[in-house]
Amino acid sequence: MTITDGIANRRISPIDIPPAPVNYQALSRKIVDGLDLAALADRSDPAVRSDLLAVVSCCMETVVAAARTGTPVPERAAARLAGIAARWADRQLPIGVLQHAVHAGADAVVEPVVAAGRRTAAGLPAAGLVLIESLRTLSSAIARGYASEVRAMTGVQRVASHTLASALLAGRVDSMMVRRNGVELAAAYLVVAVALGPHADERDPLLDAGVVARRKLRRVQAELARDDGAPVLSMLSVDGGTLLIPVHAETEGDPAAVDGPLDDLIDRLGRAAAAPVTAAVVSAAPERIPRGAERAHELLDLALRLRRGPGVHRFRELACEYQLVQPGPANRHLRGLLEPLRDEPELLDTVEAYFAAQCKRESAARRLGISVGAVRRRLDRIAALTGLQPDAPVDQWYLRASFIARIVDPGSADPAL
């Protein structure tokens, strides 16, 4: 079979390239020595150098052979390059270096192929087509081998990560599972409850909101996979879920060393999702992750209900509010303070707007879309019904505590102590 041009459908005649005493091994070493290997962490690795020499030599030999015979690049040559690329993917080495080696090898034989092609009228176009077709086939072999291995690895890693995350969250991890998944449990984990807000396109009636949400989730998962630190275990849906982030022994107990990277990660997830990402975090040993996840999601729910906004919210920032919403006699009493307003929902709205506006009547009026005088009359009505003055510091504290206490479990309060 001769090489054919896919566009012009022209058959390519063999090119008469005189045999030359080319030492491909020596030339390959010279080419590899000139490659830019800055992307490789260990440039002196013998296995890496051996692979690059094989790629360069294979490219030179196959391009010259294809020109002399007019036949395509042999399958065995393409398979050899695909195998090398798969090995690089397995070692997480950059594919760009391999592609540079392919081009460098082809470039080294351009001159003799073109020189031979100039001897006949049809030779030069044939030489160009040989080079283009050979380079396309060889580059495609590298990309195909690398991509196939990455897909296989990603599938295995995703299943293993999902399995381990599920077991940790359920409190069912044993030593056999750890060995089977090829991971080492950390001494502690950041248990991060995550809420993924809607992408703007999810509200577009002309688009499929489900498709947009799934794409958002895939971008978030891809960003997690790109993280250079310890692998993040995740259980996520389009609305959010839970992340388990190993804590390094040297940073455990150092909030400054932990907070910055976590804030950065959530910021990056927000940019990847193109949507607001809100998170709450607690730290837990592996055996206490189930309770840690429960608490983290309680904190997340509290932060969302308090409208604290995107970003990371920590227990130390919500400790007071968290305590206020815990069930018990104190919670029931505090919720009961606003019970007289239950039949006048506009008064409850005024309480919320008043505290959201930092107790400034003008700002509360703008939030509610009413006049400052109307806000004043409503606050007077709240004082008359509850017996608490919104402008008095102590009464104001109780009103705020009652508002927070009702957030998680609003409704009829039990006044019994």
Side-chain angles (χ1 to χ4, degrees), residues 120-132:
T120 63
L124 192 57
L129 291 174
V130 163
L131 292 169
I132 291 172

Side-chain angles (χ1 to χ4, degrees), residues 261-275:
L262 179 58
D263 289 335
D264 179 66
L265 174 62
I266 297 302
D267 286 344
R268 288 191 286 113
L269 295 185
R271 290 193 295 270

Side-chain angles (χ1 to χ4, degrees), residues 17 22 24 27 59-61 63-64 104-114 131:
I17 302 177
V22 179
Y24 285 115
L27 184 54
C59 290
M60 290 190 295
E61 292 175 8
V63 169
V64 171
D107 185 62
V109 295
V110 165
E111 187 174 342
V113 171
V114 172
L131 292 169

